[in-house]
Amino acid sequence: MLDAVLTELAEHGYDGLTMDAVAARAGAHRATVYRRWGDVGGLLADVLDAAGEDDWQPPDTGSLEGDLAALNHEIQDALTAQPPIMAALIAASFRSEKADHAQRRLWEDRYARCEAVVGRAAERGELPPRTDARRLLIAATAPLYHQLVLLRTPPDPDLPGQAARAASLAAAAGAFTGPPPAGDA
Amino acid sequence: MLDAVLTELAEHGYDGLTMDAVAARAGAHRATVYRRWGDVGGLLADVLDAAGEDDWQPPDTGSLEGDLAALNHEIQDALTAQPPIMAALIAASFRSEKADHAQRRLWEDRYARCEAVVGRAAERGELPPRTDARRLLIAATAPLYHQLVLLRTPPDPDLPGQAARAASLAAAAGAFTGPPPAGDA
């Protein structure tokens, strides 16, 4: 069923995605599909939740910049894949509240897993104390999303590495350190 | 007419935006509206193109980090304004090719104007030689768009300044310098 949703979404986009077409493609009864998923947003939310139920782990290359560059390459590949599943799911998140919430759950889960990259870098002594993992990860990955999803510039093979390097340099310079813990003042 | 589009868009979103409602609100003849703009995408493209025909200039605070922080505050304010005009226009750019192209023209124009910020910083000696203005500007502003438009996190009053500081530190460390000009090798 979820494969049928992805195929329909890739072929027709959100506007062409219908419960009936998904049911037909999956060989399921219309009534069953409506009862279980309610609407297209429910189907998309299940697709997104299922995507999060994998054992994906962030790259482990031995350096912060290397890990972030490898991560950014994965993001660029996903955002420019054909058929454009990830791009279609992001677009759908502007249309359906259920898809929006599921998309946010998926990103939250992915960023949480990526915090391991920052933890390893801290253990290797690559980062100043109290570096905020999430802020660093957002800074490293945001240019990819901004260029490919919003500005819609053609993919630039140098961008994943450049964005990783910029975030690593900023992190080393203390851009993502938080205030000292309470009591230190 | 363009005010009527914005009001309808803010009140009803893209899905509720119709040529007839815009014509009625503007007190215009339906036939005139259809003849001139063709469809909702045409109306939105005109709104976006009109938004670019202003004399907006980027902030000039005397420092790179200050300029980028002020710029990011403007972006955060625009993205979180009520009614959510900018957010609705970005969402519409996923639906209409005309709106998409106009949104891209507007961003291109804005980023081109912002290159003055980087030019001034270079003149003040704040940047290494051959710093790429566009890459620096994208790095500075992307976290705002990523957090507010895609991740849809609540606005963080510290984010504009933090993103500006991270990009400034990365720029000073040489993150956005290009290769030497041909002939120097």
Side-chain angles (χ1 to χ4, degrees):
Chain A
M1 179 60 67
L2 300 184
D3 285 344
V5 178
L6 288 176
T7 308
E8 286 291 319
L9 184 67
E11 284 181 9
H12 306 294
Y14 183 94
D15 282 310
L17 184 67
T18 67
M19 299 291 275
D20 290 359
V22 170
R25 185 176 287 269
H29 285 291
R30 281 181 77 241
T32 310
V33 176
Y34 276 96
R35 196 164 52 236
R36 171 148 176 207
W37 284 281
D39 58 18
V40 161
L43 281 169
L44 290 169
D46 257 22
V47 165
L48 286 157
D49 286 340
E53 287 164 7
D54 59 8
D55 57 359
W56 181 86
Q57 291 298 326
D60 186 1
T61 67
S63 77
L64 176 64
E65 186 179 332
D67 285 359
L68 296 175
L71 175 65
N72 277 347
H73 275 291
E74 286 189 31
I75 293 171
Q76 177 143 297
D77 287 348
L79 287 172
T80 56
Q82 289 300 329
I85 298 289
M86 186 169 178
L89 288 169
I90 291 174
S93 75
F94 285 90
R95 311 287 302 284
S96 152
E97 198 170 326
K98 288 179 199 168
D100 173 28
H101 289 167
Q103 177 73 69
R104 288 199 242 178
R105 282 194 295 275
L106 181 56
W107 263 321
E108 173 59 33
D109 172 69
R110 287 302 195 244
Y111 278 112
R113 294 192 204 189
C114 285
E115 290 184 6
V117 163
V118 183
R120 289 195 298 259
E123 282 168 25
R124 286 188 299 257
E126 290 188 75
L127 292 170
R130 296 189 307 277
T131 293
D132 185 299
R134 192 61 63 99
R135 280 167 53 200
L136 167 51
L137 292 166
I138 296 284
T141 57
L144 278 289
Y145 289 102
H146 192 43
Q147 295 264 30
L148 294 170
V149 179
L150 296 184
L151 303 181
R152 298 175 188 128
T153 46
D156 171 355
D158 293 333
L159 181 61
Q162 288 173 348
R165 179 154 183 270
S168 301
L169 288 170
F176 308 113
T177 54
D184 275 24
Chain B
M1 179 61 64
L2 299 186
D3 284 344
V5 178
L6 287 176
T7 309
E8 286 291 320
L9 185 66
E11 286 182 8
H12 306 295
Y14 184 93
D15 282 310
L17 184 67
T18 66
M19 298 292 276
D20 289 358
V22 170
R25 184 177 286 270
H29 286 291
R30 282 180 77 242
T32 311
V33 175
Y34 277 95
R35 195 164 52 235
R36 172 148 175 205
W37 284 281
D39 58 19
V40 161
L43 282 169
L44 291 170
D46 256 23
V47 165
L48 286 157
D49 286 341
E53 288 165 5
D54 59 7
D55 56 0
W56 182 87
Q57 291 297 325
D60 186 1
T61 67
S63 77
L64 175 64
E65 187 179 331
D67 286 358
L68 296 175
L71 174 65
N72 276 349
H73 276 290
E74 287 189 32
I75 292 171
Q76 176 142 297
D77 288 348
L79 286 173
T80 56
Q82 289 301 329
I85 299 287
M86 188 170 176
L89 288 169
I90 290 173
S93 75
F94 284 89
R95 312 286 303 283
S96 151
E97 198 170 325
K98 288 178 197 168
D100 172 28
H101 289 167
Q103 177 73 68
R104 289 199 242 177
R105 282 194 295 274
L106 180 57
W107 264 321
E108 173 58 34
D109 172 70
R110 287 300 194 248
Y111 278 111
R113 294 192 205 188
C114 286
E115 291 184 5
V117 163
V118 183
R120 289 194 298 260
E123 282 168 24
R124 286 188 300 259
E126 288 187 75
L127 292 170
R130 295 189 308 276
T131 293
D132 184 299
R134 192 59 65 97
R135 280 169 52 200
L136 166 51
L137 292 166
I138 296 284
T141 58
L144 277 291
Y145 289 102
H146 192 44
Q147 294 264 28
L148 296 170
V149 180
L150 296 184
L151 303 182
R152 297 178 189 125
T153 46
D156 171 355
D158 294 332
L159 181 61
Q162 288 174 347
R165 184 169 137 77
S168 302
L169 288 169
F176 308 113
T177 53
D184 274 26

